[in-house]
Amino acid sequence: MRVCVVGTGYVGLTTGVSLAFLGHDVTCVDLDQAKVDLLSGGRSPIYEPHMEALLGESAERMIFTTDYSAAVPGADVVFIAVQTPSLPDGNPDLTYLRAAAEGVGRHIDGEFTVVVNKSTVPIGSSNWVDSILRESFERTHERRSDGEFSVASNPEFLRQGAAIQDTLYPDRIVVGSDNPRSLDVLNRLYRTILNQTFTPPTYLPRPAELGAVPMVSTDLASAELIKYAANAFLALKISFANEIGQLAGRVGADISQVTRGIGLDTRIGPRFLQPGIGWGGSCFGKDTAALIATSAEYHHAMPIVSAAREVNKLQRRLVVDRLLDELRILKGRRIGLLGLAFKPETDDLRDAPALDIARMLIDRGARVRLHDPVAAERLRREQPDLTEYLTGEVEDVFDDSDAVVLVTEWAQYLDLDWAKLAPLMRTPVILDGRHCLDPGRLAKLGYRYLTVTGR
């Protein structure tokens, strides 16, 4: 099939590259010429495992352009995958979505095109996009549209760091549309994923336990709400684990054992129960804020979701409070942070806990050192005020430090030679922000081991 993808961020690029790998002809549109040039040369503007390998394998079926007229006409499916950042009131900014819909509407020229909202958008946005498409189409063609296109919702459920795996081997595919023809087109587009009949990449084999992938076909509003509800629930699980963690610290319980004990209950499950600093990234914060804002439009409160957001904010402050309790004075103290990206296997710094923690420490007079194996270059571009605190060597984070905080659980950090690093520190204090280090082993090496829960 002929596919157009508008936007080459995490979602758009992963969608386009994966569909091209599966044999579809894909044209990606992005207004950033530098990004288009980079992608045309086979290089990815984002750090995502296997992305450049898949780009290389799919190069013959992919085109990158800044021109809608080179991508939209004749397309069977057009994915709109542009950013929808949060406004101050929590509602998403739909400026880019409107511009993309207008650009697509001007260039639709084919028998039938399914225009898919891939961006995370408020409930009801598909109807809004449909109206923009029609207005743009009618202004350009000077006639009413007559079944040339239909709007569908196809939310993504990608984990950064595992986005390609989640695209090729998903838990489910959700498609919302009020048009049976649209559902049929998307069913055909995803058929090889649904049936798992494609030959997997050698570097990303199919999970042995994976069978046929379920497709959830529903109306537009339900598909849009599924996306928000899924992210909100995952955010709730993380915040619940952290809230229980604070109680565990007060009563002398081990939160890691508590979450393991409840996670073995199949009704609960172990995933997203890891205690620590909390969630960041572009999805959970933005989507929970949008869900609360949308609910308010319908005079409905979301106290549980609101509480999850507050608990998450608290976890970042607790890092500083825990260091203050331990060191008594932060002014002049040298404190290192291991990890800047909001999670491992990505260079994404959006709502990254490390940035807030670093700034809180700096505001209190601490001498901060920052390290990340991948996200350092992005920090230089996006957070120039923190550039002076960067170091290229892990050893510099420990050298003469009063404390080191593990913020992002990169595999490189878990495998450090901790025995070699302890003598470098002025006071060997480790705050494990992700509960992923071995406290017993570190204690034997002479470290004072801390967590945000107090144990």
Side-chain angles (χ1 to χ4, degrees), residues 209-265:
E209 71 279 5
L210 183 66
V213 174
M215 184 170 183
V216 180
S217 300
T218 184
D219 58 274
L220 287 166
S222 296
E224 292 166 342
L225 184 53
I226 285 170
K227 168 63 176 179
Y228 278 118
N231 274 357
F233 189 78
L234 296 176
L236 289 175
K237 287 189 74 173
I238 297 171
S239 288
F240 177 80
N242 283 328
E243 190 167 74
I244 293 295
Q246 294 308 307
L247 177 60
R250 286 164 172 75
V251 302
D254 184 337
I255 183 57
S256 296
Q257 293 300 320
V258 172
T259 54
R260 180 173 182 270
I262 65 175
L264 289 171
D265 187 326

Side-chain angles (χ1 to χ4, degrees), residues 241-242 244-246 248-249 252-264 270 273-276 432-439 449 451-453 455:
N242 283 328
I244 293 295
Q246 294 308 307
D254 184 337
I255 183 57
S256 296
Q257 293 300 320
V258 172
T259 54
R260 180 173 182 270
I262 65 175
L264 289 171
L273 280 179
Q274 288 71 31
D432 182 359
R434 298 298 180 184
H435 285 262
C436 58
L437 301 175
D438 183 342
Y449 178 85
T451 68
V452 292
T453 64
R455 175 172 176 179

